[in-house]
Amino acid sequence: MLESKIEKYLVDSCKKRNWLCEKFTSPSGRNKPDRMITIPNKVLFVECKATGKTPNAGQLADHERRRNYNIDVYVIDSLPAVDVLLNQLESSIEC
């Protein structure tokens, strides 16, 4: 499946939950995650990939830098992966 369709599904699914799912762009360069999601008491980043594709070396390095600051970065490459991630996030804020 195309990355654009997965990203659109992610945005639409977040909107249904009244979460912010903003396009993340940075003037400082490439290899940044595609989306920044804000839910109650948490901000995280999501890299969308076409099904079967993986992040490039620059993206992986950026993800690792963020994780070193205890920032969550997720890579999703399918609609079911979107559902799994958002359901996990949803249950984490219900506690």
Side-chain angles (χ1 to χ4, degrees):
M1 179 170 283
L2 293 174
E3 178 178 325
S4 59
K5 291 190 184 284
I6 295 167
E7 190 169 349
K8 181 177 181 347
Y9 182 74
L10 173 67
V11 171
D12 292 344
S13 297
C14 285
K15 283 182 183 177
K16 288 178 184 174
R17 292 169 166 86
N18 293 315
W19 296 348
L20 299 176
C21 184
E22 300 166 295
K23 186 73 171 169
F24 182 62
T25 57
S26 174
S28 67
R30 302 170 35 179
N31 299 317
K32 306 300 184 237
D34 296 309
R35 292 283 168 171
M36 181 174 66
I37 298 176
T38 306
I39 64 174
N41 301 312
K42 186 173 182 91
V43 174
L44 60 125
F45 294 91
V46 175
E47 178 68 41
C48 297
K49 287 295 186 188
T51 302
K53 300 291 183 182
T54 58
N56 65 42
Q59 290 170 322
L60 291 172
D62 182 81
H63 299 172
E64 187 62 27
R65 280 192 296 273
R66 292 176 195 284
R67 290 180 180 127
N68 287 336
Y69 286 103
N70 291 321
I71 302 298
D72 292 331
V73 181
Y74 299 92
V75 178
I76 54 174
D77 71 347
S78 67
L79 302 185
V82 171
D83 292 333
V84 167
L85 172 60
L86 298 187
N87 288 336
Q88 287 175 345
L89 292 171
E90 202 164 44
S91 46
S92 75
I93 60 175
E94 291 177 349
C95 298

Coordinates of all heavy atoms in Angstrom, one line a residue:
M1 N 0.8 -1.2 0.0 CA 0.0 0.0 0.0 C 0.9 1.2 0.0 O 2.0 1.3 0.6 CB -0.9 0.0 1.2 CG -1.8 1.2 1.3 SD -3.1 1.1 2.6 CE -4.2 0.0 1.7
L2 N 0.4 2.3 -0.7 CA 1.2 3.5 -0.8 C 1.3 4.2 0.6 O 0.4 4.2 1.4 CB 0.5 4.5 -1.8 CG 0.5 4.1 -3.2 CD1 -0.4 5.0 -4.0 CD2 1.9 4.0 -3.8
E3 N 2.4 4.9 0.8 CA 2.7 5.7 2.0 C 1.6 6.7 2.2 O 1.1 6.9 3.3 CB 4.0 6.3 1.9 CG 4.4 7.2 3.1 CD 5.7 7.8 3.1 OE1 6.7 7.1 2.6 OE2 5.9 8.9 3.6
S4 N 1.2 7.4 1.1 CA 0.2 8.5 1.2 C -1.1 8.0 1.7 O -1.8 8.7 2.5 CB 0.0 9.1 -0.1 OG -0.4 8.2 -1.1
K5 N -1.5 6.8 1.4 CA -2.8 6.2 1.8 C -2.7 5.8 3.3 O -3.7 6.0 4.1 CB -3.2 5.0 1.0 CG -3.6 5.3 -0.4 CD -4.2 4.1 -1.1 CE -4.5 4.5 -2.6 NZ -5.7 5.3 -2.7
I6 N -1.6 5.3 3.7 CA -1.4 5.0 5.1 C -1.4 6.3 6.0 O -2.0 6.3 7.0 CB -0.1 4.2 5.3 CG1 -0.2 2.8 4.6 CG2 0.3 4.0 6.8 CD1 1.1 2.1 4.4
E7 N -0.7 7.3 5.5 CA -0.6 8.5 6.2 C -2.0 9.2 6.3 O -2.4 9.7 7.4 CB 0.4 9.5 5.5 CG 0.7 10.7 6.4 CD 1.8 11.5 5.8 OE1 2.6 11.0 4.9 OE2 2.0 12.7 6.3
K8 N -2.8 9.2 5.3 CA -4.1 9.7 5.3 C -5.0 9.0 6.3 O -5.8 9.6 7.0 CB -4.8 9.7 3.9 CG -6.2 10.3 3.9 CD -6.8 10.3 2.5 CE -8.2 10.9 2.4 NZ -8.9 11.1 3.6
Y9 N -4.9 7.6 6.3 CA -5.7 6.8 7.3 C -5.3 7.2 8.7 O -6.1 7.3 9.6 CB -5.4 5.3 7.0 CG -6.2 4.4 7.8 CD1 -7.6 4.2 7.7 CD2 -5.6 3.7 8.9 CE1 -8.3 3.4 8.5 CE2 -6.3 2.8 9.7 CZ -7.6 2.7 9.5 OH -8.4 1.8 10.3
L10 N -4.0 7.4 8.9 CA -3.5 7.8 10.2 C -4.1 9.1 10.6 O -4.6 9.3 11.8 CB -2.0 7.9 10.2 CG -1.3 8.5 11.5 CD1 -1.5 7.6 12.7 CD2 0.2 8.8 11.3
V11 N -4.1 10.1 9.8 CA -4.6 11.4 10.1 C -6.1 11.3 10.3 O -6.6 11.9 11.3 CB -4.4 12.4 8.9 CG1 -5.1 13.7 9.1 CG2 -2.9 12.7 8.8
D12 N -6.9 10.6 9.5 CA -8.3 10.5 9.7 C -8.6 9.8 11.0 O -9.6 10.1 11.7 CB -8.9 9.7 8.5 CG -8.9 10.5 7.2 OD1 -8.7 11.7 7.2 OD2 -9.0 9.9 6.1
S13 N -7.9 8.7 11.3 CA -8.1 8.0 12.5 C -7.8 8.8 13.8 O -8.5 8.7 14.8 CB -7.2 6.7 12.5 OG -7.6 5.9 11.5
C14 N -6.8 9.7 13.7 CA -6.5 10.5 14.8 C -7.6 11.6 15.0 O -8.1 11.9 16.1 CB -5.2 11.2 14.6 SG -3.8 10.2 14.9
K15 N -8.1 12.1 13.9 CA -9.2 13.1 13.9 C -10.4 12.6 14.6 O -11.1 13.2 15.3 CB -9.5 13.6 12.5 CG -8.5 14.6 12.0 CD -9.0 15.1 10.6 CE -7.9 16.1 10.0 NZ -8.3 16.5 8.7
K16 N -10.7 11.3 14.3 CA -11.9 10.7 14.9 C -11.8 10.6 16.4 O -12.8 10.6 17.1 CB -12.1 9.3 14.3 CG -12.6 9.2 12.9 CD -12.7 7.8 12.4 CE -13.1 7.9 10.9 NZ -13.1 6.5 10.3
R17 N -10.6 10.6 16.9 CA -10.3 10.5 18.4 C -10.1 11.9 18.9 O -9.8 12.1 20.1 CB -9.1 9.7 18.6 CG -9.3 8.2 18.3 CD -7.9 7.4 18.4 NE -8.1 6.0 18.4 CZ -8.3 5.2 17.3 NH1 -8.3 5.8 16.1 NH2 -8.4 3.9 17.5
N18 N -10.2 12.9 18.1 CA -9.9 14.3 18.5 C -8.5 14.5 19.0 O -8.2 15.3 19.9 CB -10.9 14.8 19.6 CG -12.3 14.9 19.1 OD1 -12.6 15.4 18.0 ND2 -13.3 14.4 19.8
W19 N -7.6 13.9 18.3 CA -6.1 14.0 18.6 C -5.5 14.9 17.5 O -6.0 14.9 16.3 CB -5.4 12.7 18.6 CG -5.8 11.8 19.7 CD1 -6.6 12.0 20.8 CD2 -5.5 10.4 19.8 NE1 -6.8 10.9 21.5 CE2 -6.1 9.9 21.0 CE3 -4.7 9.5 19.0 CZ2 -5.9 8.6 21.4 CZ3 -4.6 8.2 19.4 CH2 -5.2 7.7 20.6
L20 N -4.5 15.6 17.8 CA -3.7 16.3 16.8 C -2.8 15.4 16.1 O -2.1 14.6 16.7 CB -2.9 17.4 17.4 CG -3.7 18.5 18.2 CD1 -2.8 19.5 18.9 CD2 -4.7 19.2 17.3
C21 N -2.8 15.5 14.7 CA -1.9 14.7 13.9 C -1.3 15.6 12.8 O -1.9 15.7 11.8 CB -2.6 13.5 13.3 SG -1.5 12.4 12.4
E22 N -0.3 16.3 13.2 CA 0.2 17.4 12.3 C 1.4 16.9 11.5 O 2.2 16.1 11.9 CB 0.7 18.5 13.2 CG -0.5 19.1 14.1 CD 0.0 20.0 15.2 OE1 0.7 19.5 16.1 OE2 -0.3 21.2 15.1
K23 N 1.4 17.4 10.3 CA 2.6 17.1 9.4 C 3.8 17.8 10.0 O 3.8 18.9 10.5 CB 2.3 17.8 8.0 CG 3.4 17.4 7.0 CD 3.3 16.0 6.6 CE 4.2 15.7 5.4 NZ 4.2 14.3 5.1
F24 N 4.9 17.0 10.2 CA 6.1 17.5 10.8 C 7.1 17.8 9.8 O 7.6 16.9 9.1 CB 6.6 16.4 11.8 CG 7.8 16.9 12.6 CD1 7.7 18.0 13.4 CD2 9.0 16.2 12.5 CE1 8.8 18.4 14.2 CE2 10.1 16.6 13.2 CZ 10.0 17.7 14.0
T25 N 7.4 19.1 9.7 CA 8.4 19.5 8.7 C 9.4 20.4 9.5 O 9.1 21.0 10.5 CB 7.9 20.4 7.6 OG1 7.2 21.5 8.1 CG2 6.9 19.6 6.7
S26 N 10.6 20.3 9.1 CA 11.7 21.0 9.8 C 12.6 21.7 8.8 O 13.1 21.1 7.8 CB 12.5 20.0 10.6 OG 13.6 20.7 11.2
P27 N 12.9 23.0 9.0 CA 13.8 23.7 8.1 C 15.2 23.2 8.3 O 16.1 23.5 7.5 CB 13.6 25.2 8.5 CG 13.1 25.1 9.9 CD 12.3 23.9 10.0
S28 N 15.5 22.5 9.3 CA 16.9 22.0 9.6 C 17.3 20.8 8.8 O 18.4 20.4 8.9 CB 17.0 21.7 11.1 OG 16.3 20.6 11.4
G29 N 16.4 20.3 8.0 CA 16.9 19.2 7.1 C 15.9 18.1 6.9 O 14.7 18.2 7.2
R30 N 16.4 17.1 6.3 CA 15.6 15.9 5.9 C 15.6 14.8 7.0 O 16.2 15.0 8.0 CB 16.2 15.3 4.6 CG 16.3 16.3 3.5 CD 17.1 15.8 2.3 NE 17.0 14.4 2.1 CZ 17.5 13.7 1.1 NH1 18.3 14.3 0.3 NH2 17.3 12.4 1.0
N31 N 15.0 13.8 6.7 CA 15.0 12.6 7.5 C 14.2 12.7 8.8 O 14.4 12.0 9.7 CB 16.4 12.1 7.8 CG 17.2 11.7 6.6 OD1 16.6 11.1 5.7 ND2 18.4 12.2 6.5
K32 N 13.3 13.7 8.8 CA 12.4 13.8 10.0 C 11.2 13.0 9.9 O 10.8 12.6 8.8 CB 12.0 15.3 10.2 CG 13.2 16.3 10.2 CD 14.1 16.0 11.3 CE 15.2 17.1 11.4 NZ 16.5 16.6 11.3
P33 N 10.6 12.5 11.0 CA 9.3 11.8 10.9 C 8.2 12.5 10.2 O 8.3 13.8 10.2 CB 9.0 11.5 12.4 CG 10.3 11.7 13.2 CD 11.0 12.7 12.4
D34 N 7.3 11.8 9.7 CA 6.2 12.4 8.9 C 5.2 13.2 9.7 O 4.7 14.2 9.3 CB 5.5 11.4 8.1 CG 6.3 10.7 7.0 OD1 7.0 11.4 6.3 OD2 6.4 9.4 7.0
R35 N 4.9 12.6 10.9 CA 3.8 13.2 11.7 C 4.1 13.3 13.1 O 4.9 12.5 13.7 CB 2.5 12.3 11.6 CG 1.9 12.3 10.2 CD 1.1 13.5 10.0 NE 0.7 13.7 8.6 CZ -0.1 14.6 8.2 NH1 -0.7 15.4 9.0 NH2 -0.4 14.7 6.9
M36 N 3.6 14.4 13.7 CA 3.7 14.6 15.2 C 2.3 14.4 15.7 O 1.4 15.2 15.3 CB 4.3 15.9 15.5 CG 4.4 16.2 17.0 SD 5.2 17.8 17.3 CE 4.0 19.0 16.7
I37 N 2.1 13.5 16.6 CA 0.7 13.3 17.2 C 0.8 13.8 18.6 O 1.7 13.5 19.4 CB 0.4 11.8 17.1 CG1 0.3 11.3 15.7 CG2 -0.9 11.5 17.9 CD1 0.1 9.8 15.5
T38 N -0.3 14.5 19.0 CA -0.4 15.0 20.3 C -1.7 14.4 20.9 O -2.8 14.6 20.3 CB -0.5 16.5 20.4 OG1 0.6 17.1 19.7 CG2 -0.6 17.0 21.8
I39 N -1.6 13.7 22.0 CA -2.7 13.1 22.7 C -2.6 13.7 24.2 O -1.6 14.3 24.5 CB -2.7 11.6 22.7 CG1 -1.5 11.0 23.4 CG2 -2.8 11.1 21.3 CD1 -1.5 9.5 23.5
P40 N -3.6 13.5 25.0 CA -3.5 14.0 26.4 C -2.2 13.5 27.0 O -1.9 12.3 27.1 CB -4.7 13.4 27.1 CG -5.7 13.3 26.0 CD -4.9 12.9 24.8
N41 N -1.4 14.5 27.5 CA -0.1 14.3 28.2 C 1.0 13.6 27.4 O 1.8 12.9 28.1 CB -0.4 13.5 29.5 CG -1.4 14.3 30.4 OD1 -1.2 15.5 30.6 ND2 -2.4 13.6 30.9
K42 N 0.9 13.6 26.1 CA 2.0 12.9 25.4 C 2.1 13.5 23.9 O 1.1 13.8 23.3 CB 1.6 11.4 25.3 CG 2.7 10.6 24.7 CD 2.3 9.1 24.8 CE 3.4 8.2 24.2 NZ 4.4 7.8 25.1
V43 N 3.3 13.5 23.5 CA 3.6 13.9 22.1 C 4.5 12.8 21.6 O 5.4 12.3 22.2 CB 4.3 15.2 22.0 CG1 4.7 15.5 20.6 CG2 3.4 16.3 22.5
L44 N 4.3 12.3 20.3 CA 5.1 11.3 19.7 C 5.2 11.5 18.2 O 4.5 12.4 17.7 CB 4.4 9.9 20.0 CG 3.0 9.7 19.5 CD1 2.9 8.5 18.5 CD2 2.1 9.6 20.6
F45 N 6.1 10.8 17.6 CA 6.3 11.0 16.2 C 6.0 9.6 15.5 O 6.3 8.6 16.0 CB 7.7 11.4 15.9 CG 8.0 12.8 16.5 CD1 8.5 12.9 17.8 CD2 7.8 13.9 15.7 CE1 8.8 14.2 18.3 CE2 8.1 15.2 16.2 CZ 8.5 15.3 17.5
V46 N 5.6 9.8 14.2 CA 5.3 8.6 13.4 C 5.9 8.8 12.0 O 5.7 9.8 11.4 CB 3.7 8.4 13.3 CG1 3.5 7.2 12.3 CG2 3.1 8.1 14.6
E47 N 6.6 7.8 11.6 CA 7.1 7.7 10.3 C 6.3 6.7 9.5 O 6.1 5.6 9.9 CB 8.6 7.2 10.3 CG 9.2 7.0 9.0 CD 9.5 8.3 8.3 OE1 9.9 9.3 9.0 OE2 9.3 8.4 7.1
C48 N 5.7 7.2 8.4 CA 4.8 6.3 7.6 C 5.7 5.8 6.4 O 6.5 6.6 5.8 CB 3.6 7.1 7.0 SG 2.5 7.7 8.3
K49 N 5.5 4.6 6.1 CA 6.2 4.0 5.0 C 5.3 3.1 4.1 O 4.3 2.6 4.7 CB 7.3 3.0 5.5 CG 8.5 3.7 6.1 CD 9.2 4.5 5.0 CE 10.5 5.2 5.4 NZ 10.9 6.1 4.3
A50 N 5.6 3.0 2.9 CA 4.8 2.1 2.0 C 5.0 0.7 2.6 O 6.0 0.4 3.1 CB 5.3 2.2 0.6
T51 N 4.0 -0.1 2.4 CA 4.0 -1.5 2.9 C 5.3 -2.2 2.4 O 5.6 -2.2 1.2 CB 2.8 -2.3 2.5 OG1 1.6 -1.6 2.9 CG2 2.8 -3.7 3.0
G52 N 6.0 -2.7 3.4 CA 7.2 -3.5 3.1 C 8.5 -2.6 3.1 O 9.6 -3.1 3.0
K53 N 8.3 -1.3 3.1 CA 9.5 -0.4 3.0 C 10.0 -0.1 4.4 O 9.2 -0.2 5.4 CB 9.1 0.9 2.3 CG 8.7 0.7 0.9 CD 9.8 0.3 0.0 CE 9.4 0.2 -1.5 NZ 10.4 -0.3 -2.3
T54 N 11.2 0.3 4.6 CA 11.8 0.6 5.9 C 12.5 2.0 5.8 O 12.8 2.5 4.7 CB 12.8 -0.4 6.3 OG1 13.8 -0.5 5.3 CG2 12.2 -1.8 6.4
P55 N 12.7 2.6 7.0 CA 13.3 3.9 7.0 C 14.7 3.8 6.5 O 15.4 2.8 6.6 CB 13.3 4.3 8.5 CG 12.2 3.5 9.1 CD 12.2 2.2 8.3
N56 N 15.2 4.9 5.9 CA 16.6 4.9 5.4 C 17.5 5.2 6.6 O 17.1 5.5 7.7 CB 16.8 6.0 4.3 CG 16.5 7.4 4.7 OD1 16.9 7.8 5.8 ND2 15.9 8.2 3.9
A57 N 18.8 5.2 6.3 CA 19.8 5.3 7.4 C 19.7 6.7 8.1 O 19.8 6.8 9.4 CB 21.2 5.2 6.9
G58 N 19.4 7.7 7.4 CA 19.3 9.1 8.0 C 18.0 9.1 8.9 O 18.1 9.7 10.0
Q59 N 17.0 8.5 8.4 CA 15.7 8.5 9.2 C 16.0 7.7 10.5 O 15.6 8.1 11.6 CB 14.6 7.9 8.4 CG 14.1 8.8 7.3 CD 13.1 8.1 6.4 OE1 13.3 7.0 6.1 NE2 12.1 8.9 5.9
L60 N 16.6 6.5 10.4 CA 16.9 5.7 11.6 C 17.8 6.5 12.6 O 17.5 6.4 13.8 CB 17.6 4.4 11.2 CG 16.7 3.4 10.4 CD1 17.5 2.2 9.9 CD2 15.5 2.9 11.3
A61 N 18.7 7.2 12.1 CA 19.6 8.0 13.0 C 18.8 9.1 13.7 O 18.9 9.3 14.9 CB 20.7 8.6 12.2
D62 N 17.9 9.7 13.0 CA 17.0 10.7 13.6 C 16.1 10.1 14.6 O 15.9 10.7 15.7 CB 16.2 11.5 12.5 CG 15.3 12.6 13.1 OD1 15.8 13.7 13.4 OD2 14.1 12.3 13.4
H63 N 15.5 9.0 14.3 CA 14.6 8.3 15.3 C 15.4 7.9 16.6 O 14.9 8.1 17.7 CB 14.1 7.0 14.7 CG 13.2 7.2 13.5 ND1 12.8 6.2 12.7 CD2 12.8 8.3 12.9 CE1 12.1 6.6 11.7 NE2 12.0 8.0 11.8
E64 N 16.6 7.5 16.4 CA 17.5 7.1 17.5 C 17.8 8.3 18.4 O 17.7 8.2 19.6 CB 18.7 6.4 17.1 CG 19.6 5.8 18.2 CD 18.8 4.7 19.0 OE1 17.9 4.1 18.4 OE2 19.1 4.6 20.2
R65 N 18.1 9.4 17.7 CA 18.4 10.7 18.5 C 17.2 11.0 19.4 O 17.3 11.4 20.5 CB 18.7 11.8 17.6 CG 20.1 11.8 17.1 CD 20.5 13.1 16.4 NE 19.7 13.4 15.2 CZ 20.1 12.9 14.0 NH1 21.2 12.2 13.8 NH2 19.3 13.2 12.9
R66 N 16.0 11.0 18.8 CA 14.8 11.3 19.5 C 14.5 10.3 20.7 O 14.2 10.7 21.8 CB 13.6 11.3 18.6 CG 13.6 12.5 17.6 CD 12.5 12.5 16.6 NE 12.8 13.4 15.5 CZ 12.7 14.7 15.6 NH1 12.3 15.3 16.7 NH2 13.1 15.4 14.6
R67 N 14.7 9.0 20.4 CA 14.5 8.0 21.4 C 15.5 8.2 22.6 O 15.2 7.9 23.7 CB 14.6 6.6 20.8 CG 13.5 6.3 19.9 CD 13.6 4.9 19.3 NE 12.4 4.6 18.5 CZ 12.5 4.2 17.2 NH1 13.7 4.0 16.7 NH2 11.4 4.0 16.5
N68 N 16.7 8.7 22.3 CA 17.7 9.0 23.4 C 17.2 10.1 24.3 O 17.7 10.2 25.4 CB 19.0 9.4 22.8 CG 19.7 8.2 22.2 OD1 19.5 7.0 22.6 ND2 20.6 8.5 21.3
Y69 N 16.2 10.9 23.9 CA 15.5 11.9 24.7 C 14.2 11.4 25.3 O 13.4 12.1 25.8 CB 15.3 13.2 24.0 CG 16.6 14.0 23.7 CD1 17.2 13.9 22.5 CD2 17.1 14.7 24.7 CE1 18.3 14.7 22.2 CE2 18.3 15.4 24.5 CZ 18.9 15.4 23.3 OH 20.0 16.1 23.0
N70 N 14.0 10.1 25.2 CA 12.8 9.4 25.7 C 11.5 9.9 24.9 O 10.4 10.0 25.5 CB 12.6 9.6 27.2 CG 13.6 8.8 28.0 OD1 13.9 7.7 27.6 ND2 14.1 9.4 29.1
I71 N 11.7 10.2 23.7 CA 10.6 10.6 22.8 C 10.3 9.3 22.0 O 11.1 8.7 21.4 CB 11.0 11.7 21.8 CG1 11.4 13.0 22.7 CG2 9.9 12.1 20.9 CD1 10.3 13.5 23.5
D72 N 9.0 9.0 21.9 CA 8.6 7.8 21.1 C 8.5 8.1 19.7 O 7.9 9.2 19.3 CB 7.2 7.3 21.6 CG 7.2 6.8 23.0 OD1 8.3 6.2 23.4 OD2 6.2 6.9 23.7
V73 N 9.1 7.3 18.9 CA 9.0 7.3 17.4 C 8.6 6.0 16.9 O 9.1 4.9 17.3 CB 10.4 7.7 16.8 CG1 10.2 7.8 15.3 CG2 10.9 9.0 17.3
Y74 N 7.5 5.9 16.1 CA 7.0 4.7 15.6 C 7.0 4.7 14.1 O 6.9 5.7 13.4 CB 5.5 4.5 16.0 CG 5.3 4.5 17.5 CD1 5.0 5.6 18.2 CD2 5.4 3.3 18.2 CE1 4.8 5.6 19.6 CE2 5.2 3.2 19.5 CZ 4.9 4.4 20.2 OH 4.8 4.3 21.6
V75 N 7.3 3.5 13.5 CA 7.3 3.4 12.0 C 6.1 2.5 11.7 O 6.0 1.4 12.3 CB 8.6 2.7 11.5 CG1 8.5 2.5 10.0 CG2 9.8 3.6 11.9
I76 N 5.2 2.9 10.8 CA 4.1 2.1 10.4 C 4.0 2.0 8.9 O 4.4 2.9 8.2 CB 2.7 2.7 10.9 CG1 2.6 4.2 10.5 CG2 2.6 2.6 12.5 CD1 1.3 4.8 10.9
D77 N 3.6 0.8 8.5 CA 3.6 0.5 7.0 C 2.4 -0.2 6.5 O 2.3 -0.7 5.4 CB 4.9 -0.3 6.6 CG 4.8 -1.7 7.0 OD1 4.0 -2.1 7.9 OD2 5.7 -2.5 6.5
S78 N 1.3 -0.1 7.3 CA 0.0 -0.7 6.9 C -1.1 -0.1 7.7 O -0.9 0.5 8.8 CB 0.1 -2.2 7.2 OG 0.1 -2.5 8.5
L79 N -2.3 -0.3 7.2 CA -3.5 0.2 8.0 C -3.7 -0.5 9.3 O -4.0 0.1 10.3 CB -4.8 0.1 7.1 CG -4.7 0.8 5.7 CD1 -6.1 0.7 5.1 CD2 -4.3 2.3 5.9
P80 N -3.5 -1.9 9.3 CA -3.6 -2.5 10.6 C -2.5 -2.0 11.6 O -2.8 -1.9 12.8 CB -3.3 -4.0 10.3 CG -3.8 -4.1 8.9 CD -3.4 -2.8 8.2
A81 N -1.4 -1.6 11.2 CA -0.3 -1.1 12.1 C -0.8 0.2 12.7 O -0.5 0.5 13.8 CB 1.0 -0.9 11.3
V82 N -1.5 1.0 11.9 CA -2.1 2.3 12.4 C -3.1 2.0 13.5 O -3.0 2.5 14.6 CB -2.8 3.1 11.3 CG1 -3.6 4.2 11.9 CG2 -1.8 3.6 10.2
D83 N -4.0 1.0 13.2 CA -5.0 0.6 14.2 C -4.3 0.1 15.5 O -4.7 0.5 16.6 CB -5.9 -0.4 13.7 CG -6.8 0.1 12.6 OD1 -7.1 1.3 12.5 OD2 -7.2 -0.7 11.7
V84 N -3.3 -0.7 15.4 CA -2.6 -1.3 16.6 C -2.0 -0.1 17.4 O -2.2 0.0 18.6 CB -1.6 -2.3 16.2 CG1 -0.7 -2.6 17.4 CG2 -2.2 -3.6 15.7
L85 N -1.3 0.8 16.7 CA -0.6 1.9 17.4 C -1.7 2.8 18.1 O -1.5 3.1 19.3 CB 0.2 2.7 16.4 CG 0.7 4.0 17.0 CD1 1.7 3.8 18.2 CD2 1.4 4.8 15.9
L86 N -2.7 3.2 17.4 CA -3.7 4.1 18.0 C -4.5 3.4 19.1 O -4.8 4.1 20.1 CB -4.6 4.7 16.9 CG -3.9 5.5 15.8 CD1 -4.9 6.2 14.9 CD2 -3.0 6.5 16.4
N87 N -4.8 2.2 19.0 CA -5.4 1.5 20.1 C -4.6 1.4 21.3 O -5.0 1.5 22.5 CB -5.9 0.1 19.7 CG -7.1 0.1 18.7 OD1 -7.8 1.1 18.7 ND2 -7.2 -0.9 17.9
Q88 N -3.3 1.2 21.1 CA -2.3 1.1 22.3 C -2.3 2.5 22.9 O -2.3 2.6 24.2 CB -0.9 0.7 21.8 CG -0.8 -0.7 21.5 CD 0.6 -1.0 20.9 OE1 1.4 -0.2 20.5 NE2 0.9 -2.3 20.8
L89 N -2.2 3.5 22.1 CA -2.2 4.9 22.7 C -3.4 5.2 23.4 O -3.4 5.8 24.5 CB -1.9 5.9 21.6 CG -0.6 5.9 20.9 CD1 -0.5 6.8 19.7 CD2 0.5 6.2 21.9
E90 N -4.5 4.8 22.8 CA -5.8 5.1 23.5 C -5.9 4.4 24.8 O -6.4 5.0 25.8 CB -7.0 4.6 22.5 CG -8.3 5.2 22.8 CD -9.2 4.9 21.6 OE1 -9.3 3.8 21.1 OE2 -9.9 5.9 21.2
S91 N -5.5 3.2 24.9 CA -5.6 2.5 26.2 C -4.6 3.1 27.2 O -4.8 3.0 28.4 CB -5.4 1.0 26.1 OG -4.4 0.6 25.3
S92 N -3.5 3.7 26.7 CA -2.5 4.3 27.7 C -3.1 5.5 28.3 O -2.7 5.9 29.4 CB -1.2 4.5 27.0 OG -1.3 5.7 26.2
I93 N -4.0 6.2 27.7 CA -4.5 7.5 28.3 C -5.8 7.2 29.1 O -6.3 8.1 29.7 CB -4.8 8.6 27.2 CG1 -5.8 8.1 26.2 CG2 -3.5 9.0 26.6 CD1 -6.1 9.2 25.2
E94 N -6.4 6.0 29.0 CA -7.6 5.7 29.7 C -7.2 5.2 31.2 O -8.1 5.2 32.0 CB -8.3 4.5 29.1 CG -9.0 5.0 27.8 CD -9.7 3.8 27.0 OE1 -9.5 2.6 27.4 OE2 -10.4 4.1 26.1
C95 N -5.9 5.0 31.4 CA -5.5 4.5 32.7 C -5.5 5.6 33.7 O -5.3 6.7 33.5 CB -4.1 3.9 32.6 SG -4.1 2.4 31.6

